[in-house]
Amino acid sequence: MDEWINYNRFDRQKWHSFFPNDKVTLSQENLDDIRSLNDKISIDDVKEVYLPLIKLIQLKYLNYIQWQLQKMTFLHQFGQRIPYIIGIAGSVAVGKSTTARLLQILLRRLLPDRRIALMTTDGFLFPNAELKKRGILERKGFPESYDMEALLAFLNSAKAGAEELRVPIYSHQSYDVMKHQRQLIDRPDILIVEGINTLQLPRNQRLYVSDFFDMALYVDAKAKLAEQWYLERFGMLLDTAFTDPTNYYYPLSHRDREHAFNIARDVWNRVDLPNLQQYILPTRNRADVILHKTDNHFIDRVYLRK
């Protein structure tokens, strides 16, 4: 079966033509501040890819708001704030975080009277101590390493209009969940949820995380490119960890560079690549929009579900 049969495919030029607005209020410096360590993003990316995407999100959001108002009027229920939730998935190192942060900034500028919140599902990983206890520390990132019940409970509460929800925070510096810190999610109008597992089906569950999403995005790239970007990011992490003993990568940063990269390649081949092939990539067809990347993080195609 053709996996793309349910999608319209557009090259970059055609996608830009749907909303050829080149007015960008961001600078390259702004973009550099939000991009992930080894990601690349330009003003042209904003003009040609993200502004049309933001316009599409705005159209879907306005339809959502209209439906919520009609439903509340019909049911004689007023004043409840039910967030519009956008999910962003994709491989490790593919640039999900950059996309999420950029969407948040652009939506805040487009809808200044709305609350736009962003969270990552990394905080719902089990702490390292729990992963060790379960004997799955080496499978960190696989579905069983996440507290999916807690993530589903959070999304269920968000969609029920709950106020002041608190989300666990994951530290990429210590490579662990931070015990006593939480991110406050306070009655957002739009909530962006980013993570490798956002479109997955939890084990022994009949409910997808994506069932709570009003729009789902997938950032796509070939596995070899994702591996290249993963290794580039690893090298940058070694550079930044060299003088920080509290950093997870500090011990590796003081070892032979080639030895450190051999360890990183091994982790990719044993953990990240199988996770991508078995659990992440198969969720791509649940996305409403797929941003396809090629060399240098260049988005060359956009797929839109029919």
Side-chain angles (χ1 to χ4, degrees):
M1 187 180 77
D2 182 3
E3 63 178 315
W4 301 108
I5 193 170
N6 293 321
Y7 289 90
N8 289 308
R9 168 180 165 168
F10 307 105
D11 61 28
R12 187 171 171 125
Q13 183 179 5
K14 184 66 174 177
W15 180 252
H16 180 215
S17 73
F18 297 137
F19 189 66
N21 182 350
D22 290 339
K23 183 179 179 181
V24 179
T25 56
L26 297 172
S27 66
Q28 185 61 51
E29 185 178 1
N30 296 146
L31 299 181
D32 291 340
D33 286 341
I34 66 167
R35 69 179 177 86
S36 296
L37 199 57
N38 68 319
D39 203 355
K40 294 181 176 62
I41 189 167
S42 68
I43 294 297
D44 284 341
D45 293 327
V46 176
K47 292 178 182 178
E48 297 169 7
V49 177
Y50 287 100
L51 286 185
L53 178 58
I54 286 294
K55 183 61 179 179
L56 181 67
I57 293 173
Q58 180 191 30
L59 293 173
K60 289 175 69 70
Y61 176 64
L62 292 176
N63 285 334
Y64 173 83
I65 292 298
Q66 185 178 28
W67 161 240
Q68 289 295 320
L69 289 173
Q70 290 172 340
K71 182 171 64 174
M72 286 189 291
T73 300
F74 179 77
L75 297 175
H76 303 290
Q77 297 176 346
F78 301 98
Q80 195 172 25
R81 187 195 299 263
I82 306 298
Y84 184 85
I85 303 183
I86 301 170
I88 302 177
S91 170
V92 168
V94 82
K96 301 180 302 300
S97 298
T98 300
T99 294
R101 288 190 288 264
L102 180 55
L103 291 185
Q104 183 184 34
I105 288 176
L106 292 174
L107 284 169
R108 279 176 171 171
R109 298 195 177 200
L110 179 67
L111 305 168
D113 59 332
R114 302 291 181 177
R115 295 184 181 186
I116 317 295
L118 167 62
M119 57 160 284
T120 172
T121 61
D122 289 349
F124 289 94
L125 281 160
F126 287 115
N128 287 349
E130 179 65 23
L131 293 175
K132 289 178 183 177
K133 181 180 176 182
R134 298 184 181 210
I136 57 172
L137 183 60
E138 291 296 308
R139 289 180 64 81
K140 193 171 190 177
F142 279 81
E144 65 267 30
S145 67
Y146 286 89
D147 188 347
M148 295 299 283
E149 289 187 9
L151 175 56
L152 289 170
F154 165 81
L155 291 171
N156 190 54
S157 296
K159 266 301 181 186
E163 299 181 6
E164 295 193 352
L165 292 164
R166 297 184 184 276
V167 180
I169 297 175
Y170 184 83
S171 168
H172 288 276
Q173 181 174 0
S174 64
Y175 199 60
D176 203 353
V177 177
M178 303 175 75
K179 283 186 179 180
H180 305 297
Q181 295 192 34
R182 293 290 186 271
Q183 175 189 357
L184 175 64
I185 305 291
D186 185 13
R187 295 169 296 163
D189 295 288
I190 298 176
L191 173 61
I192 302 169
V193 180
E194 175 261 315
I196 62 174
N197 63 332
T198 54
L199 301 181
Q200 290 176 9
L201 175 66
R203 287 189 171 188
N204 304 318
Q205 296 277 356
R206 296 184 178 181
L207 192 65
Y208 288 94
V209 176
S210 57
D211 288 342
F212 294 98
F213 296 158
D214 300 290
M215 187 173 187
L217 277 67
Y218 187 96
V219 184
D220 190 31
K222 290 182 179 180
K224 290 302 293 183
L225 278 176
E227 179 186 10
Q228 174 190 325
W229 298 335
Y230 165 82
L231 293 173
E232 289 173 356
R233 183 177 69 181
F234 176 76
M236 293 177 181
L237 288 170
L238 289 184
D239 294 338
T240 58
F242 191 79
T243 59
D244 183 4
T246 66
N247 193 296
Y248 175 80
Y249 293 95
Y250 178 79
L252 282 175
S253 71
H254 285 262
R255 301 187 66 172
D256 176 75
R257 189 99 171 165
E258 187 57 33
H259 175 75
F261 271 91
N262 285 337
I263 292 175
R265 291 186 189 97
D266 179 63
V267 171
W268 173 264
N269 288 319
R270 285 188 303 104
V271 179
D272 294 304
L273 181 59
N275 195 19
L276 171 61
Q277 294 173 331
Q278 297 171 27
Y279 297 105
I280 302 172
L281 188 58
T283 69
R284 183 175 61 186
N285 64 359
R286 296 191 193 122
D288 300 297
V289 176
I290 299 170
L291 303 178
H292 182 270
K293 286 188 171 184
T294 184
D295 294 339
N296 297 313
H297 287 271
F298 183 80
I299 299 173
D300 62 340
R301 297 192 299 273
V302 177
Y303 295 86
L304 179 64
R305 182 177 291 281
K306 294 178 180 177

